[in-house]
Amino acid sequence: MAEAKKLYIKTYGCQMNVYDSERMAEAMGGAGYVETSSPEDADMILLNTCHIREKAAEKVYSELGRFRPLKEARPDLKIGVAGCVAQAEGEEIMRRAGLVDLVVGPQSYHRLPELEALAREGRRALDTDFPVEDKFDALRDRPKAKRGPTAFLTVQEGCDKFCAFCVVPYTRGAEISRPAARVLEEARDLVGRGVREITLLGQNVNAYHGEGPDGGIWSLARLIWALNEIDGLDRIRFTTSHPNDMSDDLIAAHGDCEKLMPYLHLPVQSGSDRILKRMNRSHSAESYLRLIERIRAARPDILISGDFIVGFPEETEADFQATMDLIEAVNYGYAFSFKYSPRPGTPAAEREQIDEAVKSDRLTRLQSLLTRQQRAAQDAMVGRRVKVLFEKPGRLPGQMVGKSDYLHAVHVRESTLRAGDLADVEITESGANSLAGRVCLH
Ligand code: SF4
């Protein structure tokens, strides 16, 4: 029996890229590959790239440069580039990086075995199509690996919002929702392989409108209620949402669906209506605040997380202050924040840019406010009992690490615990980015 070939995948960016890398490993599993964690051992190296941040493409070229000695030592080694930089700059990568054997976009990675076969024949391959066939269908019967207790599951891809700073509509295409029956089948399969918590993924996940097994169009809330019926699935999460797609039934599900976790990531980017307009976000600061009120009315203990961009073109100190005021009003439990970076091909990239020093100053002020809020949210957990799903051993002997319902990282010293255990934990301490606790019952 031929020895299995080794595949090394390096993943950048969002959870959807993490999910895609798992599916690409499954696709190559069908071609006789097993995963390795060291590029030195690999017969094939795959970079699954992200196009969100500045100089994303340049980072790919410098990373490829690191593998040149390996390729020179072993010419049979195949190197591929996947993900959003592949989609946006495929031909340029083929032109500039001679050591690259194949380039594949996020919509056609189910064709990886064919592309690898072409590369083995010495023919370089580029595939950044938006194919008609469903990649998930093509991967349906591939060998599947044992799973840890948590998993991502893509239910929706692409985006029709065209925010002025974002490349996603160009790299991931128009919004597509997977048929509900297929999502449920994949969820049951994950639970059958040991998963207890599933995070539903989509660039605009709450715009989900998949065909239901009853022939009707299902909303994300309808899908969540169906997932709620799966025995062995204890927790459901979803990300990333747009304020305009937070439907009444989804807000109600946060109030009524026990397995839907009290954590919501709801990006807003700015608190200034003028900048929200220039970003093409199609909502106001006021409508966002009212939405948060309605969500908190449905689930008062929900932890709200946000995304912020500072230094967007034309942002004044007054606009920035409006963002700070919105943050004060919402009081976030967690948040991601970035300096605006112009992305090639997006409308805002053509506009006059704000001085880098101004961006850095605003980011520092914004992050110190967000850190204060995040810390206060964690401190408020001390003395409370929360459910924790344990995922892996910690650094200390007998230590286990997991996540609470609110997605806080929690560690305990309890040697009887195993990955996959769900336990009641009394929080005893709040640290910079995690909580410590004592197991009550498990
Ligand atoms: S909604 Fe999100 S993914 Fe869609 S264009 Fe805006 S920022 Fe990008």
Side-chain angles (χ1 to χ4, degrees):
M1 173 122 125
E3 201 200 335
K5 286 175 279 185
K6 301 249 176 66
L7 171 68
Y8 171 77
I9 302 184
K10 179 142 189 194
T11 305
Y12 304 82
C14 65
Q15 294 113 324
M16 194 169 283
N17 262 12
V18 174
Y19 175 86
D20 286 347
S21 290
E22 289 163 2
R23 305 316 306 269
M24 288 194 265
E26 284 168 10
M28 293 312 292
Y33 279 81
V34 292
E35 270 196 278
T36 174
S37 57
S38 110
E40 286 71 26
D41 291 349
D43 301 290
M44 181 170 172
I45 291 174
L46 205 51
L47 302 183
N48 188 9
T49 61
C50 168
H51 203 331
I52 287 288
R53 295 289 155 245
E54 192 150 23
K55 303 194 181 66
E58 290 319 310
K59 281 193 191 124
V60 173
Y61 295 115
S62 64
E63 188 74 18
L64 287 169
R66 269 189 346 105
F67 299 126
R68 188 174 298 286
L70 287 181
K71 179 94 177 178
E72 279 157 8
R74 288 189 294 119
D76 258 4
L77 168 65
K78 295 302 168 201
I79 297 183
V81 178
C84 291
V85 176
Q87 185 67 40
E89 314 204 5
E91 276 158 22
E92 180 63 6
I93 294 170
M94 292 297 259
R95 191 185 63 75
R96 268 182 66 178
L99 83 169
V100 169
D101 301 287
L102 64 90
V103 172
V104 61
Q107 300 314 334
S108 40
Y109 62 61
H110 56 294
R111 297 175 178 165
L112 260 174
E114 292 91 78
L115 301 174
E116 185 262 357
L118 284 174
R120 294 257 165 241
E121 293 161 14
R123 296 157 55 193
R124 300 175 76 210
L126 168 67
D127 187 337
T128 51
D129 287 354
F130 284 90
V132 277
E133 81 271 12
D134 178 336
K135 63 182 176 198
F136 301 105
D137 275 353
L139 295 172
R140 205 171 186 173
D141 309 317
R142 291 294 159 85
K144 304 263 185 333
K146 182 128 182 37
R147 298 299 317 245
T150 66
F152 295 129
L153 203 175
T154 290
V155 299
Q156 183 269 351
E157 279 195 271
C159 186
D160 299 343
K161 302 276 191 237
F162 290 92
C163 299
F165 52 81
C166 184
V167 292
V168 169
Y170 312 99
T171 56
R172 292 273 178 170
E175 284 171 16
I176 295 173
S177 295
R178 297 180 65 192
R182 294 302 323 291
V183 172
L184 293 168
E185 178 191 312
E186 192 171 330
R188 288 190 201 97
D189 169 68
L190 287 168
V191 171
R193 289 190 278 139
V195 169
R196 300 189 72 173
E197 174 182 298
I198 290 178
T199 300
L200 307 176
L201 298 182
Q203 271 89 28
N204 208 11
V205 70
N206 58 348
Y208 177 82
H209 51 284
E211 191 192 336
D214 54 8
I217 296 299
W218 283 21
S219 67
L220 183 65
R222 181 74 188 79
L223 181 64
I224 287 169
W225 279 111
L227 288 161
N228 189 57
E229 301 303 311
I230 299 178
D231 287 341
L233 180 61
D234 296 291
R235 295 172 152 194
I236 302 166
R237 302 181 188 276
F238 60 86
T239 198
T240 296
S241 300
H242 190 284
N244 290 357
D245 296 306
M246 278 306 292
S247 55
D248 295 352
D249 62 351
L250 190 53
I251 294 173
H254 264 302
D256 308 330
C257 180
E258 205 189 321
K259 292 182 182 178
L260 182 57
M261 293 291 103
Y263 173 93
L264 175 65
H265 183 56
L266 196 61
V268 66
Q269 311 299 357
S270 170
S272 152
D273 286 350
R274 197 175 70 83
I275 294 299
L276 286 169
K277 200 162 178 41
R278 298 297 284 144
M279 286 178 165
N280 191 31
R281 291 289 290 175
S282 319
H283 67 79
S284 68
E286 184 50 34
S287 68
Y288 180 86
L289 291 172
R290 280 205 307 279
L291 181 59
I292 296 291
E293 274 167 25
R294 289 177 51 219
I295 293 163
R296 283 191 167 138
R299 182 74 199 238
D301 65 330
I302 197 164
L303 187 144
I304 302 285
S305 157
D307 270 0
F308 294 91
I309 293 175
V310 297
F312 187 75
E314 301 159 28
E315 182 189 69
T316 63
E317 181 58 26
D319 294 318
F320 174 69
Q321 202 44 56
T323 301
M324 296 291 268
D325 296 346
L326 178 137
I327 293 171
E328 293 277 12
V330 172
N331 193 14
Y332 287 91
Y334 203 81
F336 304 86
S337 50
F338 311 94
K339 289 191 280 188
Y340 170 71
S341 64
R343 308 308 312 126
T346 60
E350 312 305 318
R351 300 175 195 166
E352 193 190 330
Q353 301 301 316
I354 286 198
D355 184 62
E356 203 55 35
V358 173
K359 290 184 189 176
S360 303
D361 164 61
R362 288 178 184 166
L363 187 65
T364 306
R365 286 188 277 154
L366 183 121
Q367 287 183 338
S368 82
L369 171 57
L370 290 170
T371 305
R372 270 204 312 279
Q373 292 188 343
Q374 179 188 329
R375 198 53 209 265
Q378 281 188 201
D379 294 352
M381 288 291 163
V382 175
R384 284 187 55 182
R385 259 193 195 203
V386 292
K387 273 226 176 303
V388 176
L389 175 59
F390 288 95
E391 295 173 26
K392 59 185 178 193
R395 280 175 291 107
L396 306 173
Q399 187 183 51
M400 283 296 282
V401 178
K403 296 274 178 32
S404 75
D405 295 359
Y406 305 97
L407 212 57
H408 283 136
V410 179
H411 50 86
V412 301
R413 299 291 289 273
E414 174 59 60
S415 55
T416 61
L417 279 172
R418 294 288 169 274
D421 285 351
L422 198 54
D424 274 9
V425 172
E426 182 182 337
I427 302 301
T428 53
E429 224 180 298
S430 167
N433 295 308
S434 67
L435 301 169
R438 180 181 61 74
V439 174
C440 310
L441 297 169
H442 74 104

